[in-house]
Amino acid sequence: MSAAWVDTDAPSPYSSTARAKIERETHKLEKRLCRVMGQAIADFRMIEEGDKVMVCLSGGKDSYSLLDILLKMQQRAPVHFDIIAVNLDQKQPGFPADILPAYLTKLGVPFHIEEQDTYSIVKDKIPEGKTMCSLCSRLRRGILYRVADELGATKIALGHHRDDILQTLFLNMFFGGKLKGMPPKLVSDDGRHIVIRPLAYAAERDLERWATHREFPIIPCTLCGSQENLQRKQVGNMLREWEKKYPGRLDNMFSALQNLVPSHLADPAHFDFQGLRATGVADPDGDKAFDHDEFESPPGPSGLPGLQIVQL
């Protein structure tokens, strides 16, 4: 917005009481985001002494928040680590190439802009109307791995959050036939890098609020963001509807990812069902045969909404 349109001397539209409440809520939000990031880093030992963390910055709210909060954590961390922000300029038409360098320069953060015309490759290889994300992701991944090597980065940090992880879990169940999510920390598919997701415990709604508060210069993705019928988008809408009707449901589902009971699933590769024998020793986790598990029902309509997922 042009400065000519803004009267900096105009009085605030909020009362002093309202401003104080907004400041309190913002302070609580900042503390919560720092706490959940710190907890995730500690739980999975994401960052260690002497690490050089390459933060992949796309220009979206999540990667901006990742960098912003990680810089705050860097100041109070019990170990020393360096941060370098990296953006891949994929030469999308109309991409505002000046925004990120200007933002990062003002912030005083070391950064690297990698220019690779993957846009033309994707448009050439993918028929009109087909989903571009898969090929775009593979190309982007390979380039960022190479850049990580060139920069001497020991960790690659991505901005995926709790809701992204749950979306991936459902996508794999619905379409991949696997009980598989998006891990907070894992070795890259080329076996050469450690990929971390420090926002793994952060809720998307909190990141949306933080991005608004911090006024990040958001850059929309016109290549894939315009594809409204993506399966991930529909799963995301389903999860948001669940959380709206049943607050806390997403927290419970994420907790389930950290409380696996292999004996109560059906994968013989992860539990020895064939070698199972009666021990004569009582086990509270043993099969209760004719009992049904009981769960506390949340207030509101019974049953699970979101059956429209069969339309995907």
Side-chain angles (χ1 to χ4, degrees), residues 148-174:
D149 282 335
E150 293 173 355
L151 296 176
T154 56
K155 302 286 172 60
I156 300 175
L158 304 180
H160 298 120
H161 46 70
R162 180 202 66 179
D163 300 53
D164 288 325
I165 292 173
L166 289 174
Q167 287 174 24
T168 302
L169 173 69
F170 279 93
L171 284 167
N172 276 309
M173 285 196 293
F174 293 155

Side-chain angles (χ1 to χ4, degrees), residues 28-307:
K28 287 167 59 178
L29 174 61
E30 179 178 345
K31 288 183 64 176
R32 180 162 63 252
L33 288 172
C34 288
R35 184 183 70 250
V36 297
M37 177 179 282
Q39 189 64 55
I41 291 174
D43 285 351
F44 298 95
R45 200 174 179 182
M46 293 185 184
I47 298 175
E48 300 168 275
E49 179 69 36
D51 269 340
K52 185 174 186 178
V53 181
M54 185 178 100
V55 176
C56 298
L57 195 63
S58 67
K61 71 178 191 319
D62 301 331
S63 62
Y64 272 124
S65 297
L66 169 64
L67 176 62
D68 194 46
I69 301 166
L70 194 57
L71 286 170
K72 295 179 185 297
M73 299 303 295
Q74 186 185 37
Q75 298 174 6
R76 65 188 73 171
V79 297
H80 170 80
F81 65 95
D82 295 315
I83 294 174
I84 182 166
V86 170
N87 170 253
L88 173 58
D89 181 352
Q90 299 176 271
K91 298 304 176 184
Q92 299 178 29
F95 180 78
D98 60 313
I99 288 183
L100 284 172
Y103 173 79
L104 294 168
T105 298
K106 183 177 180 180
L107 204 59
V109 176
F111 69 91
H112 171 77
I113 306 296
E114 181 71 16
E115 298 184 5
Q116 294 286 334
D117 188 4
T118 61
Y119 179 84
S120 296
I121 297 174
V122 171
K123 295 294 286 185
D124 179 63
K125 300 294 183 183
I126 304 297
E128 192 69 29
K130 296 294 184 179
T131 301
M132 305 175 190
C133 293
S134 180
L135 176 58
C136 180
S137 177
R138 290 198 302 273
L139 293 172
R140 186 170 63 244
R141 186 166 63 243
I143 293 169
L144 290 174
Y145 288 169
R146 172 180 58 77
V147 171
D149 282 335
E150 293 173 355
L151 296 176
T154 56
K155 302 286 172 60
I156 300 175
L158 304 180
H160 298 120
H161 46 70
R162 180 202 66 179
D163 300 53
D164 288 325
I165 292 173
L166 289 174
Q167 287 174 24
T168 302
L169 173 69
F170 279 93
L171 284 167
N172 276 309
M173 285 196 293
F174 293 155
F175 305 107
K178 294 181 180 180
L179 200 59
K180 173 185 174 183
M182 180 185 285
K185 178 183 179 183
L186 196 65
V187 175
S188 60
D189 59 346
D190 66 356
R192 298 172 58 185
H193 305 88
I194 297 293
V195 177
I196 60 175
R197 296 179 170 88
L199 292 176
Y201 292 168
E204 183 173 24
R205 63 177 182 271
D206 284 345
L207 298 176
E208 289 171 346
R209 289 178 55 203
W210 187 248
T212 299
H213 165 66
R214 298 290 283 171
E215 298 181 333
F216 297 135
I218 303 297
I219 301 173
C221 178
T222 55
L223 176 59
C224 59
S226 60
Q227 297 176 281
E228 297 294 339
N229 294 321
L230 290 178
Q231 294 166 344
R232 179 174 289 276
K233 188 176 185 69
Q234 295 189 45
V235 170
N237 291 337
M238 180 192 74
L239 295 179
R240 280 187 288 274
E241 184 66 17
W242 283 359
E243 184 67 13
K244 181 179 177 181
K245 291 187 176 182
Y246 307 104
R249 173 168 288 180
L250 298 193
D251 287 333
N252 285 339
M253 289 194 295
F254 190 85
S255 294
L257 293 176
Q258 299 175 294
N259 291 282
L260 302 182
V261 185
S263 63
H264 286 51
L265 297 175
D267 186 347
H270 291 84
F271 188 79
D272 185 14
F273 292 102
Q274 293 188 4
L276 206 58
R277 299 290 185 271
T279 64
V281 178
D283 183 352
D285 286 331
D287 200 302
K288 295 180 174 59
F290 305 106
D291 291 357
H292 291 286
D293 288 328
E294 295 183 1
F295 305 99
E296 182 178 349
S297 298
S302 60
L304 294 177
L307 295 180

